[in-house]
Amino acid sequence: MARDRRKGPGERDRTRGGAGLGWAAPGDGRTGPVKGEPGPGAKYLAQIILVGAQVVGRAFMRALRQELAASRAAADARGHSERPQSAAASRITGISLQEAQQILNVSNLNPEEIQKNYDHLFKVNDKSVGGSFYLQSKVVRAKERLDEELRIQAKDEKEKGRKAET
């Protein structure tokens, strides 16, 4: 009979495999995690991460496609509602004609009304009287956009007058 004895320092645990690195020594036929080799849970974890990444990637691509379609539709709507020069002015100033009219609270392109509303809104939003520089800059951009639209309209009327004379 073998005597049951305690391990001394540096001795291997013979009940857990010869390598002492995990549950089983490589090649001894037993199963279980061994240092340096992934266990069965790692495989499932990797699959879960991969599937999750695929789902997120598909959702991102779908959202991107929808955003592109919406952007194209908005661009087409702007392009059909405005003349080419007016659309170019909107792109340059970064503000549409309708937005500029809303900011300055004007319904038609009357230069006197535009100037009156611009002066009032510019003074009210002055930083020295507690206003907002951001809003003041929006008012300035709206005035620039409406002035550009008035210039385009004057140019169109001038060209129509020339065509009518010939």
Side-chain angles (χ1 to χ4, degrees):
M1 267 197 167
R3 241 176 74 194
D4 192 15
R5 68 179 187 98
R6 295 189 183 258
K7 286 187 313 179
E11 288 186 88
R12 295 187 300 197
D13 183 2
R14 297 187 191 285
T15 62
R16 295 186 58 191
L21 300 174
W23 291 353
D28 71 353
R30 291 188 278 172
T31 60
V34 176
K35 188 173 183 180
E37 294 181 15
K43 178 180 176 182
Y44 296 123
L45 181 62
Q47 287 176 343
I48 289 170
I49 291 171
L50 183 64
V51 169
Q54 288 174 343
V55 168
V56 169
R58 285 187 193 124
F60 179 75
M61 289 304 295
R62 188 178 309 122
L64 185 62
R65 284 189 201 108
Q66 288 175 349
E67 183 60 33
L68 286 173
S71 177
R72 285 184 187 137
D76 288 344
R78 277 195 311 267
H80 294 304
S81 66
E82 296 180 353
R83 297 181 308 277
Q85 290 176 335
S86 184
S90 292
R91 282 191 301 273
I92 290 169
T93 59
I95 189 171
S96 71
L97 178 60
Q98 292 79 16
E99 186 179 3
Q101 287 176 318
Q102 286 177 344
I103 290 171
L104 291 179
N105 194 27
V106 294
S107 56
N108 55 11
L109 297 178
N110 180 357
E112 292 82 24
E113 185 181 3
I114 291 170
Q115 187 63 42
K116 181 181 123 198
N117 289 357
Y118 166 77
D119 290 337
H120 170 71
L121 290 170
F122 190 84
K123 288 176 188 174
V124 168
N125 289 303
D126 190 8
K127 195 156 177 114
S128 64
V129 295
S132 166
F133 180 73
Y134 172 76
L135 292 178
Q136 195 177 37
S137 67
K138 288 295 265 186
V139 169
V140 170
R141 296 293 165 247
K143 171 93 167 51
E144 289 174 350
R145 177 63 181 92
L146 293 176
D147 287 344
E148 183 66 20
E149 190 65 27
L150 288 170
R151 188 190 65 76
I152 291 170
Q153 283 183 355
K155 183 179 176 184
D156 287 348
E157 289 175 10
K158 191 175 182 181
E159 288 177 7
K160 285 180 185 178
R162 287 184 194 162
K163 288 181 182 179
E165 291 175 0
T166 57

